[in-house]
Amino acid sequence: MSPSEQQITAAGKDGTGWHSHLGLGVNEVLLVLMVVALSVQGPNLFAFGGMDFTLGHALVGVVGAASVVRVLLARVRPVLPSASINVLLAVFAAITLVDTPTHGFGSTILKYVFQYLVLVVALNLMVLVGGEKSERLVMAGAWIVLAIVLVNAAVHAGAFLEYYDHPWDGHPNYATVFSGGVNLEATWPAMLGVFCRNNRSGWAYLGIAYVFGALTQSRAGLMLAVGAIVYVLLIKDGGRPALRRVLVVCAVAIVAALYTFAGPRAASVRVAAENPPAVEEADPDAPQGIPGRRGIWMGSVEAFYDAPVLGYGAGNAMDAVRAVTGYPYREDNVHNYPLQVLLDFGLVGLAVFAVVVVRFLVLGARAHFRSPFAAFVVLYLVGGMIQFKGGELLVGFALAGLVAFGYDMLRERA
């Protein structure tokens, strides 16, 4: 029996665990609130060391403090993250400190530290609640988050009408609940879809997330919604899926692909390419270069050669890209997480990161990724190929569930 399983058993014996709670107790309410708090990230309250502290951080702090008190009152021995997670954070922090005199303090390391604290608190809270109930409570929190996102979108319906009246290569422009813009507004709820059950409620959630990703013209959100649907319908329950499920998944994926390559956003890109602005209309003083992800990635390769071993420090990658390209990118990340790790922490940090990821994938594959927490991390890694900066709090929460309950939750669900 693992330490986490022992703690779950102990929590049940002293009356604080899921064995003795059929309804929503303090532990369960805190877990739901944790999911909501981790999702409501903006607006910014203040900045410290180059890092913005948001309303979400404050909410997480309040819920986290209450969770710490609850864990202490339960008188159960605290559980710590796995050694690989501890080593990875230590390496990232050490490299950032070494890089500080040359490249400046990498303030994103504070996000990693905050993510680690979320991991520790959520881990111990989930141990008190138990695996099967934790999964259901995360889904309850996901429904609340999705409702908040939809209400916020409805309030800004004018932005959607404006976008679809004259589509452009981007998204409807409105203030979002998740910091990071519309793309993440569609991405995170879609990823939380892995906690759905294969029933009507789960289908409703996945369908709404799928449609919302399409309406916001979020290619990443739509792709990850398809990933969550594939997981819930074909993988999560184990066994050989029925042909009907396979056909449904194929249809959903095909529709998403057609919408991505032939939808309003794609059409606007084609029109712009066919009708480029006249040469005399171009601003001669405008910065030269290739904007967008491709330009950032090309600049990242060039920047890498200036600091290949230890990188530039956590979150400093885009400063290096702007320096080598001369283009004033407004992005705060390179839109490719492995490349972000390479630039932030060099070959040393990337090597440690790769070992941790490979180990995770091997263990997950052996358990057929039956844990939704593992599936969430997989979708994060997939989405990380085109976005994410590092230190995302919901990922720390997912890692907490993975550490607490292991890679195979099929037995407990059954």
Side-chain angles (χ1 to χ4, degrees):
M1 181 180 292
S2 69
S4 299
E5 290 171 333
Q6 293 173 1
Q7 297 294 83
I8 293 171
T9 302
K13 289 179 179 179
D14 70 6
T16 61
W18 62 280
H19 297 284
S20 59
H21 285 290
L22 298 178
L24 286 180
V26 175
N27 301 333
E28 289 79 6
V29 171
L30 286 173
L31 191 58
V32 173
L33 291 178
M34 181 71 77
V35 176
V36 177
L38 292 172
S39 303
V40 183
Q41 297 178 9
N44 292 339
L45 299 178
F46 62 91
F48 176 76
M51 176 183 170
D52 293 326
F53 283 84
T54 68
L55 175 63
H57 289 115
L59 292 175
V60 173
V62 172
V63 177
S67 300
V68 169
V69 171
R70 182 60 181 167
V71 170
L72 293 176
L73 291 177
R75 297 180 180 179
V76 176
R77 181 170 56 86
V79 180
L80 296 178
S82 60
S84 60
I85 295 175
N86 294 329
V87 169
L88 185 62
L89 175 64
V91 170
F92 282 5
I95 291 176
T96 297
L97 292 177
V98 171
D99 285 336
T100 297
T102 304
H103 304 292
F105 177 65
S107 59
T108 301
I109 195 63
L110 298 177
K111 287 186 62 179
Y112 282 105
V113 172
F114 200 69
Q115 180 192 55
Y116 183 85
L117 294 177
V118 167
L119 194 166
V120 173
V121 173
L123 166 60
N124 285 276
L125 187 59
M126 288 185 199
V127 163
L128 292 180
V129 173
E132 191 272 341
K133 180 172 276 190
S134 290
E135 183 181 354
R136 289 191 286 112
L137 292 172
V138 172
M139 196 62 242
W143 269 111
I144 296 174
V145 171
L146 182 61
I148 293 173
V149 166
L150 294 176
V151 169
N152 183 58
V155 170
H156 296 92
F160 287 84
L161 296 176
E162 178 185 359
Y163 178 88
Y164 283 98
D165 187 34
H166 298 288
W168 57 83
D169 185 16
H171 316 280
N173 185 22
Y174 66 98
T176 58
V177 175
F178 286 94
S179 62
V182 177
N183 216 29
L184 294 183
E185 195 89 328
T187 295
W188 290 118
M191 292 169 60
L192 286 170
V194 298
F195 292 95
C196 288
R197 297 293 182 89
N198 190 13
N199 55 24
R200 291 181 179 179
S201 175
W203 301 338
Y205 182 96
L206 292 169
I208 294 171
Y210 179 86
V211 171
F212 185 73
L215 290 177
T216 56
Q217 292 295 305
S218 172
R219 292 169 292 193
L222 194 56
M223 173 186 69
L224 294 172
V226 171
I229 292 171
V230 170
Y231 175 72
V232 173
L233 267 63
L234 303 183
I235 300 173
K236 186 175 183 179
D237 294 335
R240 186 174 180 178
L243 178 61
R244 183 176 61 180
R245 293 190 191 180
V246 176
L247 294 176
V248 169
V249 167
C250 289
V252 166
I254 291 171
V255 171
L258 291 175
Y259 191 79
T260 299
F261 294 107
R265 181 175 181 179
S268 71
V269 173
R270 284 194 299 272
V271 171
E274 295 170 357
N275 301 279
V279 175
E280 60 270 16
E281 294 177 357
D283 182 1
D285 297 324
Q288 300 300 308
I290 303 175
R293 282 178 172 82
R294 188 163 68 93
I296 292 175
W297 295 338
M298 292 173 64
S300 297
V301 173
E302 186 177 352
F304 162 72
Y305 291 110
D306 292 333
V309 180
L310 295 179
Y312 295 91
N316 288 342
M318 277 308 301
D319 289 337
V321 171
R322 282 186 282 265
V324 299
T325 62
Y327 195 93
Y329 291 106
R330 290 182 296 176
E331 284 83 357
D332 63 356
N333 67 92
V334 302
H335 294 286
N336 182 292
Y337 189 49
L339 186 57
Q340 183 82 40
V341 172
L342 177 62
L343 288 183
D344 282 353
F345 308 110
L347 290 171
V348 174
L350 182 64
V352 177
F353 174 76
V355 169
V356 173
V357 170
V358 169
R359 178 179 180 274
F360 159 76
L361 292 175
V362 170
L363 294 175
R366 289 177 179 173
H368 304 290
F369 292 103
R370 294 190 180 107
S371 167
F373 296 100
F376 187 96
V377 176
V378 169
L379 289 187
Y380 172 76
L381 294 174
V382 172
M385 301 307 294
I386 55 175
Q387 62 183 21
F388 299 129
K389 183 177 182 179
E392 283 77 17
L393 301 184
L394 276 171
V395 180
F397 182 87
L399 291 173
L402 190 60
V403 174
F405 312 123
Y407 286 83
D408 189 349
M409 294 181 65
L410 183 62
R411 179 190 63 205
E412 193 164 0
R413 282 199 299 272

